[in-house]
mmCIF file of all heavy atoms in Angstrom:
data_model
loop_
_atom_site.group_PDB
_atom_site.id
_atom_site.type_symbol
_atom_site.label_atom_id
_atom_site.label_comp_id
_atom_site.label_asym_id
_atom_site.label_seq_id
_atom_site.Cartn_x
_atom_site.Cartn_y
_atom_site.Cartn_z
ATOM 1 N N SER G 1 1.136 -18.173 3.984
ATOM 2 C CA SER G 1 0.003 -17.315 3.638
ATOM 3 C C SER G 1 0.201 -15.923 4.236
ATOM 4 O O SER G 1 -0.112 -14.892 3.580
ATOM 5 C CB SER G 1 -1.295 -17.934 4.141
ATOM 6 O OG SER G 1 -2.369 -17.129 3.958
ATOM 7 N N ILE G 2 0.694 -15.826 5.486
ATOM 8 C CA ILE G 2 0.926 -14.559 6.108
ATOM 9 C C ILE G 2 2.021 -13.774 5.338
ATOM 10 O O ILE G 2 1.898 -12.597 5.025
ATOM 11 C CB ILE G 2 1.379 -14.712 7.573
ATOM 12 C CG1 ILE G 2 0.247 -15.314 8.423
ATOM 13 C CG2 ILE G 2 1.791 -13.362 8.155
ATOM 14 C CD1 ILE G 2 0.664 -15.662 9.813
ATOM 15 N N PHE G 3 3.105 -14.514 4.896
ATOM 16 C CA PHE G 3 4.138 -13.887 4.151
ATOM 17 C C PHE G 3 3.619 -13.303 2.822
ATOM 18 O O PHE G 3 3.918 -12.134 2.517
ATOM 19 C CB PHE G 3 5.245 -14.961 3.833
ATOM 20 C CG PHE G 3 6.196 -14.515 2.801
ATOM 21 C CD1 PHE G 3 7.170 -13.578 3.063
ATOM 22 C CD2 PHE G 3 6.185 -15.091 1.525
ATOM 23 C CE1 PHE G 3 8.078 -13.140 2.084
ATOM 24 C CE2 PHE G 3 7.064 -14.699 0.548
ATOM 25 C CZ PHE G 3 8.003 -13.720 0.820
ATOM 26 N N VAL G 4 2.895 -14.070 2.080
ATOM 27 C CA VAL G 4 2.375 -13.624 0.813
ATOM 28 C C VAL G 4 1.506 -12.358 0.962
ATOM 29 O O VAL G 4 1.632 -11.390 0.215
ATOM 30 C CB VAL G 4 1.522 -14.780 0.118
ATOM 31 C CG1 VAL G 4 0.768 -14.199 -1.092
ATOM 32 C CG2 VAL G 4 2.452 -15.904 -0.274
ATOM 33 N N LYS G 5 0.664 -12.354 2.008
ATOM 34 C CA LYS G 5 -0.222 -11.215 2.248
ATOM 35 C C LYS G 5 0.576 -9.961 2.657
ATOM 36 O O LYS G 5 0.353 -8.861 2.068
ATOM 37 C CB LYS G 5 -1.213 -11.595 3.297
ATOM 38 C CG LYS G 5 -2.200 -10.414 3.695
ATOM 39 C CD LYS G 5 -3.135 -10.844 4.775
ATOM 40 C CE LYS G 5 -4.043 -9.645 5.196
ATOM 41 N NZ LYS G 5 -4.905 -10.023 6.315
ATOM 42 N N GLU G 6 1.484 -10.129 3.594
ATOM 43 C CA GLU G 6 2.202 -8.975 4.142
ATOM 44 C C GLU G 6 3.284 -8.441 3.210
ATOM 45 O O GLU G 6 3.513 -7.196 3.198
ATOM 46 C CB GLU G 6 2.817 -9.320 5.520
ATOM 47 C CG GLU G 6 1.815 -9.672 6.577
ATOM 48 C CD GLU G 6 0.854 -8.537 6.902
ATOM 49 O OE1 GLU G 6 1.275 -7.385 6.873
ATOM 50 O OE2 GLU G 6 -0.371 -8.788 7.092
ATOM 51 N N ILE G 7 3.897 -9.299 2.452
ATOM 52 C CA ILE G 7 4.982 -8.825 1.561
ATOM 53 C C ILE G 7 4.378 -8.085 0.345
ATOM 54 O O ILE G 7 5.054 -7.301 -0.320
ATOM 55 C CB ILE G 7 5.890 -9.970 1.078
ATOM 56 C CG1 ILE G 7 7.292 -9.501 0.799
ATOM 57 C CG2 ILE G 7 5.254 -10.672 -0.132
ATOM 58 C CD1 ILE G 7 8.064 -9.126 2.028
ATOM 59 N N ALA G 8 3.055 -8.340 0.097
ATOM 60 C CA ALA G 8 2.451 -7.702 -1.098
ATOM 61 C C ALA G 8 1.789 -6.359 -0.735
ATOM 62 O O ALA G 8 1.195 -5.724 -1.610
ATOM 63 C CB ALA G 8 1.333 -8.626 -1.621
ATOM 64 N N ARG G 9 1.888 -5.963 0.510
ATOM 65 C CA ARG G 9 1.326 -4.647 0.887
ATOM 66 C C ARG G 9 1.902 -3.509 0.062
ATOM 67 O O ARG G 9 3.076 -3.476 -0.220
ATOM 68 C CB ARG G 9 1.595 -4.430 2.404
ATOM 69 C CG ARG G 9 0.804 -5.330 3.283
ATOM 70 C CD ARG G 9 1.152 -5.057 4.757
ATOM 71 N NE ARG G 9 0.934 -3.741 5.207
ATOM 72 C CZ ARG G 9 1.162 -3.303 6.440
ATOM 73 N NH1 ARG G 9 1.570 -4.168 7.392
ATOM 74 N NH2 ARG G 9 0.922 -2.040 6.743
ATOM 75 N N LYS G 10 1.027 -2.515 -0.214
ATOM 76 C CA LYS G 10 1.463 -1.396 -1.027
ATOM 77 C C LYS G 10 2.001 -0.267 -0.134
ATOM 78 O O LYS G 10 2.783 0.546 -0.643
ATOM 79 C CB LYS G 10 0.249 -0.877 -1.822
ATOM 80 C CG LYS G 10 -0.367 -1.882 -2.797
ATOM 81 C CD LYS G 10 0.661 -2.342 -3.813
ATOM 82 C CE LYS G 10 0.012 -3.318 -4.816
ATOM 83 N NZ LYS G 10 1.008 -3.837 -5.805
ATOM 84 N N ASN G 11 1.528 -0.179 1.123
ATOM 85 C CA ASN G 11 2.048 0.843 2.022
ATOM 86 C C ASN G 11 1.972 0.347 3.457
ATOM 87 O O ASN G 11 1.275 -0.627 3.776
ATOM 88 C CB ASN G 11 1.228 2.136 1.826
ATOM 89 C CG ASN G 11 -0.286 1.860 2.006
ATOM 90 O OD1 ASN G 11 -0.737 1.423 3.054
ATOM 91 N ND2 ASN G 11 -1.041 2.115 0.929
ATOM 92 N N ILE G 12 2.767 1.046 4.291
ATOM 93 C CA ILE G 12 2.797 0.692 5.689
ATOM 94 C C ILE G 12 2.722 1.984 6.536
ATOM 95 O O ILE G 12 2.963 3.056 6.044
ATOM 96 C CB ILE G 12 4.104 -0.053 6.101
ATOM 97 C CG1 ILE G 12 5.338 0.818 5.719
ATOM 98 C CG2 ILE G 12 4.183 -1.375 5.426
ATOM 99 C CD1 ILE G 12 6.641 0.260 6.262
ATOM 100 N N ASP G 13 2.332 1.830 7.783
ATOM 101 C CA ASP G 13 2.203 2.941 8.681
ATOM 102 C C ASP G 13 3.304 2.915 9.735
ATOM 103 O O ASP G 13 4.043 3.863 9.959
ATOM 104 C CB ASP G 13 0.814 2.936 9.357
ATOM 105 C CG ASP G 13 0.483 4.243 10.008
ATOM 106 O OD1 ASP G 13 1.298 5.176 9.975
ATOM 107 O OD2 ASP G 13 -0.629 4.349 10.555
ATOM 108 N N SER G 14 3.497 1.762 10.390
ATOM 109 C CA SER G 14 4.466 1.621 11.442
ATOM 110 C C SER G 14 5.773 0.999 10.872
ATOM 111 O O SER G 14 5.806 -0.205 10.508
ATOM 112 C CB SER G 14 3.930 0.706 12.551
ATOM 113 O OG SER G 14 4.958 0.399 13.452
ATOM 114 N N LYS G 15 6.764 1.811 10.687
ATOM 115 C CA LYS G 15 8.003 1.304 10.035
ATOM 116 C C LYS G 15 8.742 0.278 10.845
ATOM 117 O O LYS G 15 9.148 -0.764 10.338
ATOM 118 C CB LYS G 15 8.891 2.465 9.657
ATOM 119 C CG LYS G 15 8.312 3.494 8.701
ATOM 120 C CD LYS G 15 9.277 4.611 8.459
ATOM 121 C CE LYS G 15 8.717 5.697 7.564
ATOM 122 N NZ LYS G 15 7.731 6.532 8.206
ATOM 123 N N LEU G 16 8.983 0.565 12.080
ATOM 124 C CA LEU G 16 9.823 -0.320 12.948
ATOM 125 C C LEU G 16 9.160 -1.707 13.085
ATOM 126 O O LEU G 16 9.891 -2.703 12.982
ATOM 127 C CB LEU G 16 10.051 0.311 14.313
ATOM 128 C CG LEU G 16 11.150 1.377 14.321
ATOM 129 C CD1 LEU G 16 11.209 1.988 15.746
ATOM 130 C CD2 LEU G 16 12.494 0.840 13.954
ATOM 131 N N SER G 17 7.903 -1.754 13.432
ATOM 132 C CA SER G 17 7.264 -3.069 13.624
ATOM 133 C C SER G 17 7.188 -3.855 12.324
ATOM 134 O O SER G 17 7.284 -5.098 12.319
ATOM 135 C CB SER G 17 5.848 -2.863 14.223
ATOM 136 O OG SER G 17 5.011 -2.276 13.290
ATOM 137 N N TYR G 18 7.093 -3.122 11.210
ATOM 138 C CA TYR G 18 7.057 -3.840 9.898
ATOM 139 C C TYR G 18 8.451 -4.458 9.662
ATOM 140 O O TYR G 18 8.551 -5.538 9.088
ATOM 141 C CB TYR G 18 6.687 -2.903 8.775
ATOM 142 C CG TYR G 18 6.559 -3.524 7.418
ATOM 143 C CD1 TYR G 18 5.569 -4.507 7.215
ATOM 144 C CD2 TYR G 18 7.439 -3.223 6.376
ATOM 145 C CE1 TYR G 18 5.474 -5.145 5.993
ATOM 146 C CE2 TYR G 18 7.295 -3.841 5.157
ATOM 147 C CZ TYR G 18 6.308 -4.816 4.923
ATOM 148 O OH TYR G 18 6.173 -5.421 3.739
ATOM 149 N N ILE G 19 9.484 -3.712 10.018
ATOM 150 C CA ILE G 19 10.868 -4.288 9.883
ATOM 151 C C ILE G 19 11.022 -5.555 10.721
ATOM 152 O O ILE G 19 11.662 -6.516 10.238
ATOM 153 C CB ILE G 19 11.920 -3.220 10.271
ATOM 154 C CG1 ILE G 19 12.028 -2.178 9.167
ATOM 155 C CG2 ILE G 19 13.295 -3.846 10.542
ATOM 156 C CD1 ILE G 19 12.904 -0.962 9.456
ATOM 157 N N LEU G 20 10.494 -5.549 11.924
ATOM 158 C CA LEU G 20 10.587 -6.770 12.746
ATOM 159 C C LEU G 20 9.802 -7.945 12.107
ATOM 160 O O LEU G 20 10.220 -9.062 12.194
ATOM 161 C CB LEU G 20 10.008 -6.453 14.139
ATOM 162 C CG LEU G 20 10.852 -5.476 14.962
ATOM 163 C CD1 LEU G 20 10.222 -5.253 16.320
ATOM 164 C CD2 LEU G 20 12.265 -5.951 15.157
ATOM 165 N N LEU G 21 8.710 -7.612 11.472
ATOM 166 C CA LEU G 21 7.944 -8.677 10.746
ATOM 167 C C LEU G 21 8.764 -9.153 9.565
ATOM 168 O O LEU G 21 8.855 -10.390 9.313
ATOM 169 C CB LEU G 21 6.579 -8.112 10.271
ATOM 170 C CG LEU G 21 5.711 -9.035 9.456
ATOM 171 C CD1 LEU G 21 5.393 -10.317 10.199
ATOM 172 C CD2 LEU G 21 4.399 -8.377 9.051
ATOM 173 N N LEU G 22 9.363 -8.263 8.818
ATOM 174 C CA LEU G 22 10.224 -8.664 7.710
ATOM 175 C C LEU G 22 11.393 -9.531 8.192
ATOM 176 O O LEU G 22 11.787 -10.489 7.512
ATOM 177 C CB LEU G 22 10.810 -7.444 7.022
ATOM 178 C CG LEU G 22 9.809 -6.584 6.169
ATOM 179 C CD1 LEU G 22 10.532 -5.348 5.609
ATOM 180 C CD2 LEU G 22 9.220 -7.395 5.008
ATOM 181 N N SER G 23 11.913 -9.227 9.366
ATOM 182 C CA SER G 23 13.031 -10.006 9.914
ATOM 183 C C SER G 23 12.593 -11.457 10.179
ATOM 184 O O SER G 23 13.377 -12.406 10.094
ATOM 185 C CB SER G 23 13.632 -9.382 11.140
ATOM 186 O OG SER G 23 12.802 -9.510 12.261
ATOM 187 N N GLU G 24 11.340 -11.635 10.605
ATOM 188 C CA GLU G 24 10.781 -12.994 10.788
ATOM 189 C C GLU G 24 10.788 -13.712 9.437
ATOM 190 O O GLU G 24 11.139 -14.931 9.413
ATOM 191 C CB GLU G 24 9.391 -12.903 11.360
ATOM 192 C CG GLU G 24 9.291 -12.447 12.812
ATOM 193 C CD GLU G 24 9.945 -13.435 13.745
ATOM 194 O OE1 GLU G 24 10.132 -14.615 13.378
ATOM 195 O OE2 GLU G 24 10.252 -13.002 14.848
ATOM 196 N N PHE G 25 10.372 -13.062 8.387
ATOM 197 C CA PHE G 25 10.338 -13.654 7.070
ATOM 198 C C PHE G 25 11.754 -14.027 6.625
ATOM 199 O O PHE G 25 12.026 -15.133 6.061
ATOM 200 C CB PHE G 25 9.695 -12.753 6.064
ATOM 201 C CG PHE G 25 8.278 -12.441 6.329
ATOM 202 C CD1 PHE G 25 7.737 -11.208 5.995
ATOM 203 C CD2 PHE G 25 7.406 -13.396 6.859
ATOM 204 C CE1 PHE G 25 6.356 -10.920 6.248
ATOM 205 C CE2 PHE G 25 6.070 -13.184 7.075
ATOM 206 C CZ PHE G 25 5.538 -11.889 6.763
ATOM 207 N N TYR G 26 12.734 -13.155 6.927
ATOM 208 C CA TYR G 26 14.093 -13.456 6.528
ATOM 209 C C TYR G 26 14.603 -14.704 7.262
ATOM 210 O O TYR G 26 15.178 -15.585 6.637
ATOM 211 C CB TYR G 26 14.995 -12.216 6.907
ATOM 212 C CG TYR G 26 16.462 -12.545 6.610
ATOM 213 C CD1 TYR G 26 17.022 -12.305 5.376
ATOM 214 C CD2 TYR G 26 17.289 -13.029 7.637
ATOM 215 C CE1 TYR G 26 18.342 -12.587 5.131
ATOM 216 C CE2 TYR G 26 18.617 -13.279 7.377
ATOM 217 C CZ TYR G 26 19.167 -13.101 6.142
ATOM 218 O OH TYR G 26 20.487 -13.379 5.879
#
């Protein structure tokens, strides 16, 4: 559920922390 919500985001503010979140999904 977290993956579906966060991967569907249209924009982001903090690039580095978002990359770390994406790495968790990977």
